[in-house]
Structure formats: C-alpha cells, structure tokens
C-alpha cells in the first residue's frame, strides 16, 4: 500500500499529477481542492497523502493535500453504498471538507446534490448512511460546537473512517487522552489503534 509520496512534480494538470520519487514517476489523481491548495508547478517539491485503489482491471493512486481530505475520501468509498473513487473525488473537488461535514450534520441535501455527479438520491444516501450507519455526524457536530476541533475528536473521526464503531473509537481515544491531555491527534490515533488491536 502506498500511503504517502514525497518527491518533485514532473507534470501538473488540475485533476492529476506525475510525481518523481527517486527516478520513478507516479501518476496520482488529485481533487481540485488539493490542486488549488498546493498550486503545483513542474519541478516543485511536493508531499501527498495517498490511497492506492486496486480493482481487477486497474490500480489507481489518489493523492490529497491533507489527512482530512484522504480520510473523507476513504469514508465515502468505504462507508457509503454506491460511492466509488470517482464520485468521492467529485465531492472533494466540489466542496471543502468542513462544508461537507456541515452539510451532513445539517441534513443539507440541496447543497450536496449540487456537486457534479452526486444527484439528489445519492446525496440523501450519503447523509443517511454517514449519520446512521457510521455515527460520524455526532463527532462532526461536537467538533463544530467547539471553537477548534480537538485532537480527541480528530482521532475519533479517523478511527471511524477506518471502520471502527463510534463507541469503540470514543472509548479508546478517551482512555489514551486521560493519560496525557496534551497528546496530539496522531499519537492518540496510534495509541487507540494499539488498544483496539491488542
């Protein structure tokens, strides 16, 4: 699994990049949000979070400027029926992550259905499945009520994105954060994963 690429831009188009990593050129599909944020030019150094999607007929590498974008992509393709990589990329290209979270929390199907390729029925399914099946909206609601998202909340959402139930995720994150309230989201996530897999 290729989880991260650090190298130099060989080619840059709005929906895909070719990254040179020690002489190997990786074709990486990126959402417009990542392209706009990084504004990559040929020869520029670049650091992308990635996901390698494997099908019978193809292996496709997707790249993201932030963990939040990659987590949202994985959440959509893993947890919402009928959503594949193409639609997940369209969601990221059509709406910032924070706006997407707010739309799910507020049942704002109208805003979601404006995203190219989503449509009203798919937008309704996204809201329903993310709220009811995964329990993500509760975490997003908590995050939006705080002035800034907490490390605990970020770690909890990452665990949910990885397929853990919200109850398990919250319990393990609370246990880890109780030992050190200043711990970072990444350290919380690592500790919680160790706890859940032991």
């Amino acid at each position: 699994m290729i989880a991260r690429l650090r190298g130099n831009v060989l080619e840059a188009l709005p929906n895909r990049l070719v990254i040179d990593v020690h002489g190997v050129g990786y074709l990486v599909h990126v959402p417009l949000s990542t392209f706009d944020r990084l504004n990559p030019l040929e020869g520029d150094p670049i650091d992308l979070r990635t996901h390698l999607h494997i099908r019978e007929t193809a292996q496709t590498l997707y790249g993201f400027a932030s963990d939040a974008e990659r987590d949202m992509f994985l959440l959509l393709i893993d947890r919402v029926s009928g959503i594949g990589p193409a639609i997940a990329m369209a969601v990221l290209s059509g709406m910032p992550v924070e706006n997407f979270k707010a739309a799910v929390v507020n049942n704002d199907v109208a805003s979601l259905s404006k995203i190219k390729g989503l449509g009203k029925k798919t937008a309704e399914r996204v809201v329903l499945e993310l709220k009811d099946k995964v329990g993500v909206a509760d975490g997003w609601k908590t995050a939006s009520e705080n002035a800034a998202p907490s490390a605990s909340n970020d770690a909890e959402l990452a665990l949910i994105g990885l397929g853990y139930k919200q109850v398990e995720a919250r319990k393990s994150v609370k246990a880890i954060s109780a030992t050190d309230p200043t711990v970072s989201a990444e350290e919380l996530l690592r500790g919680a994963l160790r706890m859940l897999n032991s």
Side-chain angles (χ1 to χ4, degrees), residues 73-127:
F73 174 84
L74 293 173
L75 190 66
L76 286 165
I77 66 171
D78 291 340
R79 298 288 165 223
V80 183
S81 58
I83 297 280
I87 294 178
M89 292 295 273
V91 169
L92 287 168
S93 293
M95 183 178 283
V97 171
E98 293 308 316
N99 292 12
F100 178 83
K101 290 178 180 180
V104 171
V105 168
N106 298 317
N107 293 315
D108 188 357
V109 172
S111 292
L112 291 174
S113 60
K114 290 177 186 173
I115 296 170
K116 185 179 177 182
L118 208 55
K120 186 178 178 187
K121 286 190 175 182
T122 308
E124 288 171 347
R125 190 167 62 244
V126 166
V127 170

